[in-house]
Amino acid sequence: MPEPLSPTDLSAHFAGLDLSKPVARSTSSTDPFFTYARPETHGVHVSKVQVEMRDGVLLAGELHRPANPDGSPAPGRFPGIVYEFNGYNAVSFMAAGARAFVTRGYVVLVCSVRGSGDSPGEIDPFGPQEQRDNVDLIEWLGTQPFSTGKVGQMGVSYGGHTALLAAVHQPEHLTAVIAAQALSDWYEDTIYLGGGIYNNRIRGWQSDTAPATLETYPRHPLYDDYWRDRSVRARWDRLDVPVLDVGGWLDQYRNAMVKNFQARPENVWMVAGPWSHGTLPGQFEDIATAAYLAWWDHWLSDDVPGLLPETRVTSYEMPDAGWRQYSTWPPAQAREDHLTFAPGGKLVAGPAEKATEVFDVETGALLAETESLPADLVLAGTPFVDLRVAFTADEGYVAVILEDLGPDDEVSRVTHGFLRASHRAGNEVRVPVEPGTPYDLRVPLWATHHRFKAGHRLRIRVASRDEGVIDSDSPAGTVTVHYGPSTFTYQAIG
């Protein structure tokens, strides 16, 4: 599972790409929104800026304005975009990706967050001060003499989350948002991975981007006001501007994309592609600049109508079945079904014999799989596993991995979920775990849209370790899983 996007990741995704114009046919989608294009009308004028915040601090950045043929700023008023507000000290580099919008009549402001790049102060990713600064940037851009007063904000990963956090503050001039590979909740989506287990790979990002959080975050192992202050989920009721929430079924934040849509289906459009974490240019089925320009033209431009997606949800059916469009998510036609864990390492329809299996916390796992499928099975939703388990220690970690097994036993990971037993009542309180006592635990897996082909099998791996993904500090001992009451529930099409 990848970390949040870093400057190195940005370089890898942008290297060698021509970001100067929309790519009109880089996707197999037939929706005109994803192949939208119009010609360039301006050049680009770049100036260094320092934007004053309400407390007098100056954030450093660049202003990219539509330009005349001689390079001078074009006269008139233009809509604005706050672009990639993040802590990666790469303003000029990232601003290159905005050229396609500037040359088509948008003013783009790119600034480093407080404490990064040339912006003074201490960095606190997604903290209250950073959010206030973001609002000030939007209002500054919306009140400039070259502005129409309509401002959008967009970004990927860090920049996507700052855009959503700005939106819940409801700035006067913020008109719409594009959030790519973004979050709904920093605690659940990234730091503690939904069920109270620390993300094993996040410390490298913390060390590179915000070292102070290596001490701060462990002081808040439960979900408290510290995390609520950094959360979109905690303020979904205030997320009322149009949002294009773009994510990937191979991305660590796909749950956030789904949750944001389900919380605000009246003003969020969800686009889920075959993408891993990072910027879309250069990835398979790249819809990036074309769709983004269509969105901005629709919401910000007074001169061209732009477009919206033909449906509220556009999703790529993994691994290779192509684009599908739905009015909601899970799709209205999806049915809920379940399989039961049965002795002999089986997943079966209907009840199963009551029995138990024991595995070692450090080295073991329980494996359960279906028979070969007689026909294709498409999972489309957020599956979950109900387990009756007991631990020999006073704490237990549960990692559940859903896999696709081909006829040749080739294995691919489809989705997964994690839960710390002491967090079984939620992440706001820790409840005791009595050794030897069976507990009924529900482990939500991350959302998925995946076609298991005929002849393939579904396999579920239950363990206490998932190396390289979650911390492996669960107490030593064994885990007992009860067959019969343990089930896998999923939403399926067809």
Side-chain angles (χ1 to χ4, degrees), residues 233-248:
R233 178 174 67 90
R235 290 167 284 181
W236 269 331
D237 61 319
R238 295 180 58 81
L239 185 64
D240 60 359
V241 297
V243 175
L244 184 67
D245 204 322
V246 180

Side-chain angles (χ1 to χ4, degrees), residues 371-396:
E371 298 290 338
S372 296
L373 296 173
D376 288 5
L377 176 66
V378 178
L379 269 58
T382 303
F384 58 89
V385 169
D386 287 312
L387 294 172
R388 182 166 296 171
V389 294
F391 308 91
T392 55
D394 59 1
E395 179 62 283

Side-chain angles (χ1 to χ4, degrees), residues 4-5 84-88 113-114 116 123-127 130 155-163 180-183 186 205 209-210 253 277:
L5 196 64
E84 291 294 354
F85 185 52
N86 63 42
Y88 293 146
V113 305
R114 188 178 296 226
S116 70
I123 188 170
D124 176 16
F126 316 123
E130 189 173 284
V156 58
S157 191
Y158 194 135
H161 195 46
T162 56
Q181 315 282 29
L183 304 169
W186 188 223
W205 178 88
T209 306
Y253 298 144
H277 191 66

Side-chain angles (χ1 to χ4, degrees), residues 24 65 102 136 170 178 190 224 281 286 304 330 337 361 386 457:
R65 296 175 59 181
V102 181
D136 291 349
Q170 301 178 331
I178 298 174
T190 300
D224 57 15
D286 168 23
V304 290
D337 208 342
V361 164
D386 287 312
R457 290 160 287 155

Side-chain angles (χ1 to χ4, degrees), residues 384-450:
F384 58 89
V385 169
D386 287 312
L387 294 172
R388 182 166 296 171
V389 294
F391 308 91
T392 55
D394 59 1
E395 179 62 283
Y397 288 9
V398 177
V400 178
I401 298 103
L402 174 63
E403 298 171 327
D404 184 340
L405 273 65
D408 56 358
D409 289 332
E410 182 180 354
V411 179
S412 61
R413 180 182 292 221
V414 176
T415 187
H416 50 225
F418 312 100
L419 179 64
R420 189 170 183 160
S422 62
H423 284 235
R424 62 189 181 277
N427 292 317
E428 296 182 358
V429 60
R430 185 170 290 164
V431 293
V433 176
E434 296 292 336
T437 300
Y439 294 102
D440 290 322
L441 306 182
R442 174 163 291 183
V443 184
L445 307 188
W446 296 3
T448 189
H449 187 191
H450 185 92

